[in-house]
Amino acid sequence: MLAPQKQQIIDLFNAALQPVIAGSELTPTVTLERPRDPSHGDVACNIAMQLAKPLKKNPRELAQALVAAVMAGAAGKGLIEAAEIAGPGFINLRLTAAAKQQVVQTVLQQGAEFGKSQLGAGKKVLVEFVSANPTGPLHVGHGRQGALGDALSALFEVQGFDVTREFYYNDAGVQIATLATSVQARANGFKPGDAEWPESAYNGDYIADIAQDFLARKTVAASDGEPATASGDVNDIESIRKFAVAYLRREQDLDLLAFGVKFDNYYLESSLYKDGKVNAAVEALIAAGVTYELDDALWLRTTDYGDDKDRVMRKKDGTYTYFVPDVAYHIVKWQRGFGKVINVQGSDHHGTIARVRAGLQAVNMGIPQGYPDYILHKMVTVMKNGEEVKISKRAGSYVTVRDLIEWSSGEDGAEAAADAPRDLTRGRDAVRFFLISRKADTEFVFDVDLALAKSDENPVYYVQYAHARICSVLAQWTGDEASLGSIDLSPLTAPREASLLAKLAEYPDMLQHALEELGPHQVAFYLRDLAGELHSYYNAERVLVDDEALKLARLALMHATRQVLRNGLALIGVSAPARM
């Protein structure tokens, strides 16, 4: 049911209630729900059961009186075909055929705008995701974050929010120092397994590539950073560090480009120290009286804010624990005017939530409890040729996003000719669809063989084929698609047509529910269901029939279905091919 129709029914019930509640202080709220069993009708309302006790009326009799009032006017008769009283007073409504068919014209009139709203107009939201340390290529966990974060950002955008996609670079600390010493060891001619090789060093082939370019005194730059030119001096550890970070940030840019994810802003952890934001946060916490000294360390009383124990902020050696810059970073987010912030991170970050939120509460800046919101995702297991893949040559210890995209495109990056033209669209589509097709808090098995399969078992192929199938039908027709927006839809009376119409009408509500639950997986679920309705309809009914009125009505329905498929696929960053 479309939103205007839902509101019209609510208005009809509100009007019917006025004489019933006159003289009382009741202010009832009419809510409409979709029955779990479609055989019970198209929409259900329990307002009679809510009001029966305070009004001291029989709920079934009250329901019958409300239905009679609703159906008395022309508006009710034009929208509602039948109303039934069920059980102790449930009101089940069945919409008229014309009301159900209205979705086709609405979709064709609104096109790419169908499903959008202005619910969040004037509100800002920041979605931080991926945020990988620049110590290696992006792994499949970062890929899951990329798919989830980008789709979630798109969900906010279609509801009218002003969205900023942000990538936070942890370009400071022990891991960056380890990166520098790893590249230095490679530049000195050592390799994993040698006695001189540092025990904690990174072992992937990419370390050798960085060392080679460093010795060649090359210049590299990330998309938003200053160019870094290598000194070529193996003893210049600071030059190695800067060059390695810039090199890997550029590599991550290429990974994100292949994945089709773009960020509005990149924020460097190092800038928090450089600009004095970390020290300012610590001083604010000390001034608030929520810290104490113990064993030559500075502690934060996080137990005052629900944590299971107090946390060390500054260690004996004078360095800060990793949650302190996170507190400073989120203070900056708040100061930038983002009242709504969502972090998409791996489930290994669960332990930081309480202490970061405690720090934000303790600074007494008016930051609300529960800020920021978190979406924590579980691990991804990669299967290829029936076996689990645990490492890649490129990274040395894990499967990279680029590996996954290339494998799912049917191309192995290590074997493809360097100058061969490569289209990674198929792989990107599969990876993005698959990685949002489960709730974030569930573990996921990515089956490369399934991603390559051209069958109904492959969900992205199944959905894209529905779109291509409609394109084929419309191409066979050879008529003017624009004319379908004003076609008489009354011939659409077959059961499969009713099911498809109902599924199309669910799209706007699905988007809103997905946003409310921060669950972009619902978009993938919906697209699979819609594709299923389309395939079932196509197999049950001929579209290009001899009856001209029926043919045009069915073509309009197909056209509207294609548009909704296209809208949903675009939202999750997946292409909608015209041919398969």
Side-chain angles (χ1 to χ4, degrees):
M1 181 172 56
L2 297 172
Q5 295 172 336
K6 184 176 182 179
Q7 188 58 53
Q8 188 177 356
I9 293 175
I10 290 174
D11 291 343
L12 288 170
F13 270 100
N14 281 328
L17 282 168
Q18 292 311 303
V20 177
I21 63 174
S24 74
E25 296 182 356
L26 295 174
T27 55
T29 299
V30 178
T31 57
L32 303 178
E33 297 179 348
R34 189 163 45 251
R36 292 182 180 180
D37 185 347
S39 67
H40 293 168
D42 301 307
V43 63
C45 180
N46 68 348
I47 190 65
M49 296 176 65
Q50 291 182 36
L51 296 178
K53 186 173 182 179
L55 290 174
K56 298 180 180 179
K57 291 180 178 290
N58 179 287
R60 284 188 63 89
E61 292 178 358
L62 178 56
Q64 290 169 349
L66 292 175
V67 166
V70 166
M71 297 299 293
K77 293 177 180 177
L79 188 58
I80 303 168
E81 180 179 84
E84 301 169 358
I85 312 302
F90 285 105
I91 301 173
N92 292 328
L93 307 176
R94 299 180 189 279
L95 301 183
T96 63
K100 296 176 183 179
Q101 295 157 1
Q102 179 61 41
V103 65
V104 173
Q105 290 182 338
T106 301
V107 171
L108 297 184
Q109 288 168 3
Q110 296 181 1
E113 299 300 305
F114 180 69
K116 294 184 178 181
S117 80
Q118 291 301 308
L119 181 69
K123 300 177 183 177
K124 294 173 61 175
V125 61
L126 185 148
V127 183
E128 180 209 330
F129 56 105
V130 181
S131 295
N133 296 333
T135 54
L138 300 181
H139 55 62
V140 293
H142 296 132
R144 193 171 192 184
Q145 288 182 35
L148 288 168
D150 201 37
L152 182 63
S153 297
L155 276 172
F156 274 102
E157 286 174 333
V158 299
Q159 299 295 338
F161 287 83
D162 179 6
V163 180
T164 295
R165 294 167 170 84
E166 186 153 292
F167 190 126
Y168 177 67
Y169 274 114
N170 298 101
D171 64 333
V174 175
Q175 291 177 311
I176 300 302
T178 301
L179 171 66
T181 56
S182 302
V183 174
Q184 185 180 51
R186 276 287 193 175
N188 278 315
F190 304 124
K191 63 183 184 299
D194 291 347
E196 299 83 355
W197 187 251
E199 184 178 350
S200 61
Y202 297 112
N203 298 326
D205 285 356
Y206 67 94
I207 297 295
D209 295 337
I210 299 171
Q212 181 178 352
D213 284 358
F214 177 80
L215 293 172
R217 300 184 178 184
K218 291 188 177 181
T219 298
V220 294
S223 59
D224 70 318
E226 293 292 329
T229 301
S231 68
D233 180 0
V234 294
N235 295 313
D236 189 350
I237 193 68
E238 180 60 17
S239 178
I240 292 174
R241 184 191 68 79
K242 289 182 178 178
F243 182 79
V245 168
Y247 184 102
L248 286 171
R249 289 192 63 200
R250 179 179 175 276
E251 285 295 300
Q252 291 180 359
D253 284 343
L254 295 176
D255 291 340
L256 292 168
L257 179 65
F259 202 38
V261 174
K262 296 180 180 179
F263 287 89
D264 302 302
N265 192 49
Y266 293 87
Y267 202 101
L268 303 182
E269 180 186 1
S270 58
S271 72
L272 292 169
Y273 292 93
K274 180 181 177 182
D275 298 339
K277 301 295 186 182
V278 174
N279 285 336
V282 173
E283 291 302 320
L285 290 168
I286 293 173
V290 293
T291 65
Y292 59 93
E293 297 275 354
L294 179 67
D295 297 331
D296 297 324
L298 180 67
W299 295 68
L300 177 65
R301 298 184 190 277
T302 55
T303 51
D304 291 348
Y305 301 91
D307 201 1
D308 59 344
K309 63 181 179 179
D310 292 343
R311 304 291 175 172
V312 174
M313 293 175 58
R314 187 174 59 224
K315 296 179 287 186
K316 292 181 181 180
D317 61 6
T319 61
Y320 293 115
T321 53
Y322 62 90
F323 88 91
V324 177
D326 279 354
V327 172
Y329 176 41
H330 286 88
I331 290 174
V332 171
K333 288 181 179 180
W334 177 258
Q335 292 171 334
R336 288 159 61 193
F338 291 104
K340 180 75 170 178
V341 169
I342 301 165
N343 296 344
V344 184
Q345 297 174 323
S347 56
D348 56 328
H349 286 77
H350 183 271
T352 68
I353 296 177
R355 63 200 74 168
V356 169
R357 286 177 173 170
L360 295 174
Q361 288 296 298
V363 293
N364 293 322
M365 296 179 62
I367 299 175
Q369 292 184 6
Y371 181 98
D373 289 315
Y374 287 87
I375 295 178
L376 301 182
H377 70 84
K378 291 192 175 179
M379 65 178 294
V380 179
T381 300
V382 179
M383 301 291 292
K384 186 181 181 187
N385 299 323
E387 298 180 351
E388 181 179 348
V389 184
K390 295 185 178 180
I391 64 173
S392 76
K393 184 177 180 182
R394 177 180 289 136
S397 60
Y398 54 83
V399 177
T400 70
V401 171
R402 221 180 305 180
D403 288 332
L404 209 55
I405 293 172
E406 289 170 353
W407 295 342
S408 301
S409 295
E411 297 193 43
D412 188 325
E415 299 174 358
D419 58 350
R422 309 172 72 201
D423 183 2
L424 300 180
T425 302
R426 179 183 175 189
R428 180 177 67 242
D429 287 348
V431 174
R432 290 189 66 135
F433 194 100
F434 276 37
L435 290 181
I436 72 153
S437 64
R438 294 289 186 276
K439 292 184 66 174
D441 61 0
T442 61
E443 293 187 1
F444 181 70
V445 175
F446 190 106
D447 188 337
V448 174
D449 300 329
L450 180 61
L452 290 169
K454 296 182 178 180
S455 69
D456 291 352
E457 284 71 32
N458 179 347
V460 67
Y461 179 86
Y462 186 67
V463 174
Q464 289 179 321
Y465 184 56
H467 181 273
R469 173 170 263 177
I470 298 171
C471 289
S472 176
V473 171
L474 291 170
Q476 291 177 52
W477 173 51
T478 70
D480 180 12
E481 293 180 7
S483 67
L484 296 175
S486 57
I487 293 300
D488 175 18
L489 301 170
S490 61
L492 299 177
T493 57
R496 291 290 185 186
E497 288 165 344
S499 297
L500 186 51
L501 288 165
K503 183 57 65 174
L504 292 177
E506 289 176 18
Y507 182 69
D509 278 348
M510 178 277 298
L511 294 180
Q512 189 168 334
H513 291 155
L515 181 62
E516 290 170 354
E517 297 180 12
L518 301 182
H521 64 278
Q522 294 187 30
V523 180
F525 288 179
Y526 173 84
L527 288 171
R528 289 188 65 177
D529 289 346
L530 179 58
E533 293 289 355
L534 182 281
H535 291 309
S536 296
Y537 173 57
Y538 183 88
N539 292 329
E541 305 287 350
R542 285 183 57 227
V543 176
L544 301 178
V545 294
D546 293 334
D547 185 325
E548 186 69 9
L550 179 59
K551 177 178 70 176
L552 292 176
R554 288 180 171 175
L555 285 167
L557 175 58
M558 297 285 275
H559 189 8
T561 304
R562 181 179 68 172
Q563 183 66 63
V564 176
L565 285 167
R566 188 175 294 173
N567 290 0
L569 287 168
L571 189 146
I572 60 175
V574 176
S575 69
R579 295 182 180 85
M580 296 288 286

